[in-house]
Amino acid sequence: MSELKDTLLMPNTGFEMRGNLTIKEPKMIDRWHETDLYAAMNANREGCEEYLLHDGPPYANGDIHCGHMLNRLLKDFTIRYKNMCGFKTPFVFGWDTHGLPIEVKVTKSGVNRKAMSIAAFRNLCKEYAYEHVEKQEAQIK
């Protein structure tokens, strides 16, 4: 009796059978940035009706987590869909760089807010927030 695999007609192809995403994905992302793909998509829509989606920003107080990424992906799907429907779709990322969550993170890092002026503490919070904006932006990309 012949082997079952011998009964299959499998085509010969140059298509890779393995994804190798850890190798390919960084190259694809670099190519998208080099060609500025998003700007090119919107350049094709000059003069079209605009669809603007304001980003409901996460706090800039730590690493990106699954909830942040789900939110970003849903917005990305919506923007791409609307672009394919003929709209110009400018999208600007946003972050919430103010408020109690950032103050709590700075305080938990060892800063004694009572031992400094309000302005000095706010400057520390500002530096912390902008540092995390850069970090989160890199993580999103």
Side-chain angles (χ1 to χ4, degrees):
M1 189 152 146
S2 66
E3 291 288 323
L4 186 58
K5 69 177 185 173
D6 296 332
T7 65
L8 298 174
L9 178 59
M10 297 298 290
N12 291 327
T13 178
F15 187 79
E16 291 182 56
M17 294 295 120
R18 300 213 181 271
N20 292 323
L21 290 179
T22 56
I23 296 168
K24 292 179 182 176
E25 185 179 25
K27 292 176 184 175
M28 287 186 337
I29 291 171
D30 288 344
R31 190 174 71 236
W32 294 340
H33 288 292
E34 287 169 12
T35 59
D36 202 5
L37 186 60
Y38 185 72
M41 282 173 38
N42 273 323
N44 288 334
R45 299 289 186 241
E46 279 301 323
C48 294
E49 185 179 352
E50 198 171 274
Y51 178 85
L52 185 60
L53 177 63
H54 290 280
D55 187 17
Y59 281 110
N61 66 342
D63 290 326
I64 293 292
H65 58 71
C66 292
H68 291 131
M69 287 312 297
L70 175 61
N71 192 15
R72 298 282 180 171
L73 286 170
L74 293 172
K75 291 171 188 171
D76 187 55
F77 295 160
T78 303
I79 290 294
R80 289 174 193 271
Y81 170 75
K82 287 297 193 176
N83 188 275
M84 287 187 269
C85 289
F87 290 88
K88 182 176 180 177
T89 55
F91 185 77
V92 179
F93 287 109
W95 279 268
D96 189 339
T97 56
H98 301 85
L100 189 58
I102 293 167
E103 291 179 15
V104 168
K105 284 285 191 170
V106 171
T107 304
K108 283 185 177 180
S109 72
V111 171
N112 182 359
R113 71 184 294 172
K114 304 285 185 195
M116 61 179 60
S117 70
I118 293 173
F121 181 69
R122 285 183 182 164
N123 279 333
L124 284 176
C125 291
K126 177 182 173 182
E127 290 170 13
Y128 181 88
Y130 286 146
E131 176 185 315
H132 280 82
V133 164
E134 287 179 25
K135 188 176 182 182
Q136 287 183 3
E137 189 172 22
Q139 290 171 340
I140 288 168
K141 289 179 182 177

